[in-house]
Amino acid sequence: MPSIARTLGAVGVGAVLALGVTQSASAAQGQLIIGSTTYNNPSGCYLVGSLPTQVQNHSTSIAYIFSTNNCTGFVIQTLTPGTSAPDYYGYSVYVG
């Protein structure tokens, strides 16, 4: 019995990992607009450029505005799909 439980556990972990990789590898549908630059089907990290600016999330994923470049530091704002906000302090935006 213990070997069956271990096998089923390993299969379950493998399925969860495969599902996670599949979901994170796909780009969001729609657009991310930072200032006057439009990104179609965004995925990953985008630099903001000059501040202040406007960030518009017209994608199917959540956009996270970070306090520093390269989507590191603190998340200072979260934009759900279909929302926008002025950005005074964020230097990068992650969509994933």
Side-chain angles (χ1 to χ4, degrees), residues 34-92:
I34 301 173
S36 61
T37 305
T38 300
Y39 302 96
N40 292 312
N41 301 324
S43 178
C45 187
Y46 300 90
L47 295 179
V48 168
S50 61
L51 293 174
T53 192
Q54 181 79 9
V55 178
Q56 301 174 49
N57 183 13
H58 299 292
S59 76
T60 55
S61 294
I62 296 173
Y64 301 93
I65 301 175
F66 282 84
S67 60
T68 59
N69 289 331
N70 302 319
C71 298
T72 59
F74 298 102
V75 173
I76 58 172
Q77 193 163 7
T78 302
L79 295 177
T80 56
T83 62
S84 63
D87 177 15
Y88 299 102
Y89 306 106
Y91 290 93
S92 56

